[in-house]
Amino acid sequence: MLKSLFRKKAISQALRNSSTGLVSLSNLKSAAVYLIEGTEDLLQCIAAVRSFFREQGMPVNVYVLSLDSSVISQGSQDAVFLNKTDLNWYGKIKNRALAAKIAGDEELVVSLAQDCFPVDFCAAATKARFRIGWRQMSGGLYDVVLSNAMGVP
């Protein structure tokens, strides 16, 4: 209960100075994509994300969150890996320098992580003009919400 109150407040504060809306992909200059470690074929997913945005002529930063602190992320220098130890007790990034880096100047944010507060917070904290995610949150965090045809996560 207390954790969810802190999370709602953190998201609403991060969104306070945010203005988003539907924007053509051709009008966006940079992107950030958030993944969760444990995604099948994570390295292939990272490579596919980079390839897609390279074809669009858009630089992309890929962030991967590992919620299992015993997992040591290896094998890719194409992504920034965040560990559970980088988060405080309710899921917000502890280190201000790391938080500032992740809340960068990307204009497009794509969250491919379902139901994950640390990723939702990072998406809210960016200066993005357009955000895509798996579920809508109070305050209208995402401009477009994805779902699969079967409605199964």
Side-chain angles (χ1 to χ4, degrees), residues 104-151:
D105 292 331
E106 294 92 359
E107 295 184 331
L108 169 66
V109 168
V110 180
S111 169
L112 297 177
Q114 296 182 20
D115 197 23
C116 180
F117 171 77
V119 170
D120 291 336
F121 177 77
C122 289
T126 67
K127 297 175 179 103
R129 292 173 44 204
F130 190 65
R131 296 182 183 104
I132 301 170
W134 279 99
R135 66 186 173 107
Q136 190 56 275
M137 300 188 62
S138 61
L141 172 58
Y142 295 108
D143 300 304
V144 172
V145 177
L146 304 172
S147 67
N148 61 28
M150 302 300 290

Side-chain angles (χ1 to χ4, degrees), residues 19-98:
S19 62
T20 63
L22 294 177
V23 178
S24 170
L25 186 60
S26 63
N27 293 335
L28 300 172
K29 306 293 184 235
S30 59
V33 176
Y34 296 94
L35 302 166
I36 295 283
E37 190 164 65
T39 303
E40 288 185 35
D41 302 319
L42 179 64
L43 297 180
Q44 287 180 326
C45 186
I46 293 169
V49 165
R50 291 206 164 276
S51 174
F52 172 80
F53 284 102
R54 186 175 23 252
E55 289 172 11
Q56 306 305 313
M58 187 183 303
V60 63
N61 291 318
V62 179
Y63 301 100
V64 180
L65 178 65
S66 173
L67 296 176
D68 181 356
S69 58
S70 67
V71 173
I72 299 174
S73 304
Q74 298 178 20
S76 177
Q77 295 183 356
D78 290 333
V80 174
F81 285 83
L82 305 170
N83 199 302
K84 192 174 184 175
T85 58
D86 294 321
L87 308 175
N88 68 12
W89 64 274
Y90 64 94
K92 188 176 171 184
I93 297 174
K94 291 189 284 190
N95 182 307
R96 287 183 187 227
L98 180 59

